[in-house]
Amino acid sequence: MAETVLVVDDEKDIVDLLDYNLRQAGFRVLSALNGEDAVEMARARHPRLVLLDLMLPDLSGTEVLKLLRASPATRSIPVILLTARNDEIDRLLGFELGADDYVSKPFSVRELILRVRAVLKRGGPSSPGENEPAEQTLSAGPIEVDPGRHEVRVAGRPIELTITEFRLLADLVKARGRVRSRDVLLSEVWGYDSEVMSRTVDTHVRRLRDKLGAAAGWLHTVRGVGYRIQDPQAD
């Protein structure tokens, strides 16, 4: 079944362009020209991904993102920001609020569709095939990551993560004790090379630490290199 993408932009020409090209690429498309309609549509139709412009006539894109992340019905939907702004602060704010990626305007439609596919490949829970073993639960101290159920628990309590945050934590826990560089994380978690600013990784790590709470000490920064999961009591 074709996956549904919600396109949110107040420029109808852009909406029409994306609608045509996404359909040609095999997606179903919903569209909204303002923030309020976007939030309502996301809650009612549960798209697999949202392409969200930051500049909207009513609610800003960041306000829409806040509302999506605040609702249990929409908090796990991946969001790619569309922005004409060159200011890095806008993109970092989007990542702080839980965006999964961004594409700057003017954009290449081909690149945007590649980004959409890359984000969707990060995926949610999946069922193993008939002859394919289920992925084992990963653990590090109080942190447990269940790839099959797409769940994370800290000291037995579930925590809510976005798809990208989940993949980032799973990658780090699987490599427990080993340093994962920013470039490696960008390739393994985001699905493309370090063309994406490395501060993307730093921002997601900061969000992960906030959500891990008392277990945040397990997520270490290795200055100038990257990150690793390690017992905070270890030398």
Side-chain angles (χ1 to χ4, degrees), residues 136-202:
Q136 293 184 343
T137 298
L138 308 169
S139 64
I143 304 169
E144 294 182 351
V145 180
D146 187 334
R149 295 178 179 271
H150 210 261
E151 293 177 349
V152 173
R153 294 180 178 272
V154 174
R157 295 185 177 182
I159 63 171
E160 293 285 347
L161 299 180
T162 66
I163 287 174
T164 303
E165 290 165 352
F166 180 90
R167 282 181 59 90
L168 177 58
L169 182 62
D171 184 281
L172 289 165
V173 172
K174 189 173 183 180
R176 177 177 174 174
R178 303 195 305 274
V179 179
R180 303 288 277 171
S181 72
R182 290 174 176 83
D183 285 350
V184 167
L185 289 170
L186 283 168
S187 175
E188 295 295 322
V189 177
W190 276 260
Y192 33 74
D193 297 329
S194 56
E195 67 201 45
V196 182
M197 54 187 177
S198 63
R199 289 185 66 184
T200 299
V201 179
D202 301 336

Side-chain angles (χ1 to χ4, degrees), residues 11-192:
E11 297 184 55
K12 193 172 185 305
D13 288 347
I14 290 179
V15 171
D16 290 343
L17 173 70
L18 292 176
D19 182 289
Y20 173 78
N21 283 279
L22 286 165
R23 290 182 189 278
Q24 289 294 108
F27 295 96
R28 291 187 298 180
V29 182
L30 302 171
S31 62
L33 298 174
N34 60 67
E36 289 188 0
D37 287 350
V39 172
E40 182 178 343
M41 193 170 294
R43 289 173 176 169
R45 304 289 295 275
H46 305 290
R48 280 283 285 118
L49 181 140
V50 177
L51 290 173
L52 176 62
D53 186 31
L54 280 178
M55 298 291 290
L56 296 172
D58 51 353
L59 302 175
S60 69
T62 54
E63 289 174 313
V64 172
L65 184 55
K66 282 182 185 178
L67 291 170
L68 294 179
R69 290 295 177 248
S71 170
T74 58
R75 65 168 52 124
S76 63
I77 298 174
V79 175
I80 298 177
L81 300 179
L82 301 177
T83 173
R85 302 179 182 181
N86 294 319
D87 193 342
E88 183 182 7
I89 293 174
D90 296 313
R91 296 194 292 269
L92 289 176
L93 176 59
F95 286 127
E96 289 281 5
L97 296 173
D100 295 271
D101 199 357
Y102 79 93
V103 176
S104 296
K105 295 179 181 179
F107 52 79
S108 157
V109 172
R110 180 176 178 275
E111 178 193 358
L112 185 143
I113 291 175
L114 288 174
R115 294 288 183 96
V116 167
R117 293 193 190 282
V119 170
L120 289 175
K121 280 182 182 178
R122 300 172 200 168
S126 57
S127 300
E130 184 177 345
N131 298 315
E132 181 183 349
E135 293 185 76
Q136 293 184 343
T137 298
L138 308 169
S139 64
I143 304 169
E144 294 182 351
V145 180
D146 187 334
R149 295 178 179 271
H150 210 261
E151 293 177 349
V152 173
R153 294 180 178 272
V154 174
R157 295 185 177 182
I159 63 171
E160 293 285 347
L161 299 180
T162 66
I163 287 174
T164 303
E165 290 165 352
F166 180 90
R167 282 181 59 90
L168 177 58
L169 182 62
D171 184 281
L172 289 165
V173 172
K174 189 173 183 180
R176 177 177 174 174
R178 303 195 305 274
V179 179
R180 303 288 277 171
S181 72
R182 290 174 176 83
D183 285 350
V184 167
L185 289 170
L186 283 168
S187 175
E188 295 295 322
V189 177
W190 276 260
Y192 33 74

